[in-house]
């Protein structure tokens, strides 16, 4: 029996889903991880067939050496911060499906912006912001209003909208102060260049239009978009509150342009035998613009459940089959009605003690499922879009209905945090 090694950086709902998909393919699933406490090892032990414990999962040569005598047939992950290093492990072991350098490029948002422009795809004006003294020059180059964000960030961490030079300068100082405090290891490693993500940020001109998401599967050089998901509910932090599939009022022709843009972007970046979660804004002037390519993983949170309910396609199983090089999994049929996905976040920053109220949310008549992704002991922060409680719904009529459902669920869910 073949063995796939799943590389874990931190806690994640995806680990059990990936292990189940590996086992469904008839393979063993072993977990590569840094040292675990007894309780967490026991919890994960129910999901996988074994463990390989290493000092640092990001040390590709060391991890490859630890796996070399275990006959690895595949090495995979969905942990955003280690997708490139995991691909490098697979390269060192001769089981890579997509070059590691492709993922390295994809995790540098400025490099992605240049690559997509070189391929002829539309995009916002963009510049690297390395010195607050350059704020006026950057504002003139990019235009205002603009978005300021980490050059290798995810989960809307510290994304800020600015309308003046003073606000642009303040955003630089905010990111330069807060990012070093962020526990996510990706911000503490230099990018090729070298580029220090703790002091060099990305500024992009503000796009104007509705936001969408498209998961794209790339098999044998062909990009297959799964479907378009609308994001009608987004708060002032750019955190996603509610999604819907299919999107409200989106004409088929417009949906086709959005999926074309997402597919063209993943191919322009050189992705192959993998998947990507692509975010698109349908700009009033430029049309569909790819704003982010999360290469090497499907949608996060409970979005795979949304896609499965809406389309019958299990994007997690699809992603695993691409990583293993096995035939595509069987596909079902989606529900005949729109499916919504609501996200409830903890307010404030601290270490999670407990989550209450999810049973009451599950009792609401429109609710199909409630998935709590966070767990006690996890540090939650207002700076990062951590999908805490995820609610799948149906039976709503429009965006106002969806917003009302979100408000009702948010009232019922209670997070107890302690100082971290």
């Amino acid at each position: 029996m073949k063995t796939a090694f799943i590389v874990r950086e931190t806690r994640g709902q995806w680990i059990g889903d990936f292990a189940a998909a590996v086992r469904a393919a008839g393979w063993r699933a072993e977990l590569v991880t840094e040292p675990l406490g007894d309780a967490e090892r026991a919890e994960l032990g129910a999901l996988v067939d074994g463990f390989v414990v290493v000092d640092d999962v990001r040390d590709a040569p060391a991890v490859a050496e630890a796996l070399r005598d275990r006959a690895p047939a595949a090495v995979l992950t969905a942990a955003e911060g280690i997708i490139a290093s995991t691909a490098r492990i697979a390269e060192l072991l001769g089981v890579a499906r997509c070059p590691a350098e492709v993922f390295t490029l994809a995790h540098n948002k400025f490099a992605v912006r240049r690559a997509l422009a070189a391929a002829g795809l539309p995009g916002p004006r963009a510049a690297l912001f390395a010195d607050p003294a350059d704020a006026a020059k950057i504002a003139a180059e990019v235009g205002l209003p603009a978005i300021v964000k980490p050059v290798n960030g995810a989960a809307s961490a510290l994304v800020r909208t600015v309308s003046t030079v003073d606000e642009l300068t303040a955003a630089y100082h905010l990111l330069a102060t807060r990012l070093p405090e962020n526990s996510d290891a990706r911000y503490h490693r230099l990018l090729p260049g070298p580029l220090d993500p703790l002091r060099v940020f990305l500024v992009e001109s503000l796009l104007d239009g509705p936001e969408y998401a498209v998961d794209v599967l790339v098999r044998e050089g062909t990009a297959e978009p799964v479907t378009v998901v609308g994001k009608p509910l987004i708060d002032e932090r750019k955190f996603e509150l509610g999604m819907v599939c299919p999107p409200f009022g989106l004409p088929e022709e417009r949906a086709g342009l959005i999926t074309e843009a997402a597919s063209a972007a993943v191919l322009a970046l050189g992705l192959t035998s993998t998947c990507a979660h692509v975010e698109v804004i349908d700009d009033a002037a430029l049309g569909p613009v790819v704003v982010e390519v999360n290469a090497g993983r499907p949608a996060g949170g409970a979005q795979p459940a949304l896609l499965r309910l809406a389309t019958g396609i299990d994007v997690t199983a699809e992603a695993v089959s691409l990583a293993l090089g096995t035939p595509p999994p069987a596909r079902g049929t989606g529900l005949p009605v729109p499916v919504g996905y609501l996200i409830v976040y903890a307010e404030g920053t601290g270490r999670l003690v407990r989550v209450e109220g999810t049973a009451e949310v599950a009792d609401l008549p429109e609710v199909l499922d409630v998935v709590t992704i966070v767990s006690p002991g996890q540090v939650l922060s207002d700076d990062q879009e951590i999908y805490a409680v995820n609610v799948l719904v149906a039976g709503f009529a429009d965006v106002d209905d969806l917003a009302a459902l979100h408000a009702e669920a948010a009232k019922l869910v209670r997070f107890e945090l302690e100082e971290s």
Side-chain angles (χ1 to χ4, degrees), residues 302 305 308-309 340-342 358 361-362 364 366-372 389-394:
R308 186 169 59 252
L309 287 167
Y341 173 33
L342 309 173
T358 55
V361 175
L364 296 175
E366 298 89 351
V367 171
L368 302 173
D369 196 11
V370 179
V371 181
T372 302
V389 174
N390 304 258
V391 186
L392 295 152
V393 297

Side-chain angles (χ1 to χ4, degrees), residues 253-328:
E253 179 183 359
R254 206 72 200 164
L257 293 175
I258 292 165
T259 56
E260 285 175 15
S263 297
V266 300
L267 294 177
L269 295 178
L271 292 172
T272 184
S273 298
T274 189
C275 64
H277 177 69
V278 183
E279 297 179 6
V280 180
I281 292 178
D282 193 6
D283 183 70
L286 299 173
V289 174
V290 170
V291 293
E292 191 162 311
V293 179
N294 298 286
R297 68 164 178 86
Q303 289 179 73
L306 166 69
L307 293 171
R308 186 169 59 252
L309 287 167
T311 69
I313 298 174
D314 184 340
V315 292
T316 298
E318 296 276 355
V320 169
S321 76
L322 289 165
L324 303 186
T326 55

Side-chain angles (χ1 to χ4, degrees), residues 32 112 170 257 337 342 349:
V32 180
V112 167
L257 293 175
V337 296
L342 309 173
T349 297

Side-chain angles (χ1 to χ4, degrees), residues 195-214:
L195 188 156
D196 183 356
L198 295 179
R199 58 171 299 273
V200 181
F201 311 120
L202 179 62
V203 183
E204 294 179 337
S205 57
L206 188 68
L207 297 170
D208 177 22
E211 297 193 24
Y212 302 96
V214 183

Side-chain angles (χ1 to χ4, degrees), residues 107-367:
H107 292 152
N108 179 333
K109 295 177 187 295
F110 186 64
V112 167
R113 187 57 58 212
R114 289 191 298 181
L116 298 186
L121 300 178
R125 296 181 299 279
L128 292 177
F129 190 15
D131 185 344
D134 292 335
K137 182 176 74 172
I138 296 289
E141 180 180 347
V142 171
L144 295 173
I147 294 285
V148 186
K149 58 178 122 175
V151 74
N152 64 337
S156 296
L158 290 169
V159 174
R160 293 295 184 268
T161 302
V162 298
S163 299
T164 67
V165 172
D166 286 345
E167 289 178 359
L168 182 57
T169 302
Y172 180 94
H173 289 299
L174 176 72
L175 268 66
T177 300
R178 300 278 282 277
L179 267 185
E181 301 169 354
N182 194 299
S183 61
D184 194 324
R186 85 188 72 189
Y187 301 124
H188 302 274
R189 297 194 297 272
L190 293 179
L191 296 173
L195 188 156
D196 183 356
L198 295 179
R199 58 171 299 273
V200 181
F201 311 120
L202 179 62
V203 183
E204 294 179 337
S205 57
L206 188 68
L207 297 170
D208 177 22
E211 297 193 24
Y212 302 96
V214 183
D215 273 35
V216 181
L217 312 172
V218 187
R219 198 181 295 273
E220 297 179 354
T222 299
E224 178 193 1
V226 174
T227 191
V228 180
V229 174
K231 299 182 179 182
L233 303 179
I234 298 176
D235 72 10
E236 68 283 353
R237 301 168 296 181
K238 302 297 181 184
F239 285 12
E240 296 155 351
L241 304 180
M243 307 181 199
V244 63
C245 188
F248 295 120
L250 182 66
E252 186 175 341
E253 179 183 359
R254 206 72 200 164
L257 293 175
I258 292 165
T259 56
E260 285 175 15
S263 297
V266 300
L267 294 177
L269 295 178
L271 292 172
T272 184
S273 298
T274 189
C275 64
H277 177 69
V278 183
E279 297 179 6
V280 180
I281 292 178
D282 193 6
D283 183 70
L286 299 173
V289 174
V290 170
V291 293
E292 191 162 311
V293 179
N294 298 286
R297 68 164 178 86
Q303 289 179 73
L306 166 69
L307 293 171
R308 186 169 59 252
L309 287 167
T311 69
I313 298 174
D314 184 340
V315 292
T316 298
E318 296 276 355
V320 169
S321 76
L322 289 165
L324 303 186
T326 55
R331 296 179 176 181
T333 302
L335 296 177
V337 296
V339 182
Y341 173 33
L342 309 173
I343 304 104
V344 181
Y345 301 95
E347 294 297 330
T349 297
R351 192 176 303 278
L352 180 65
V353 176
R354 64 179 60 87
V355 182
E356 298 178 335
T358 55
E360 291 95 323
V361 175
D363 286 338
L364 296 175
E366 298 89 351
V367 171

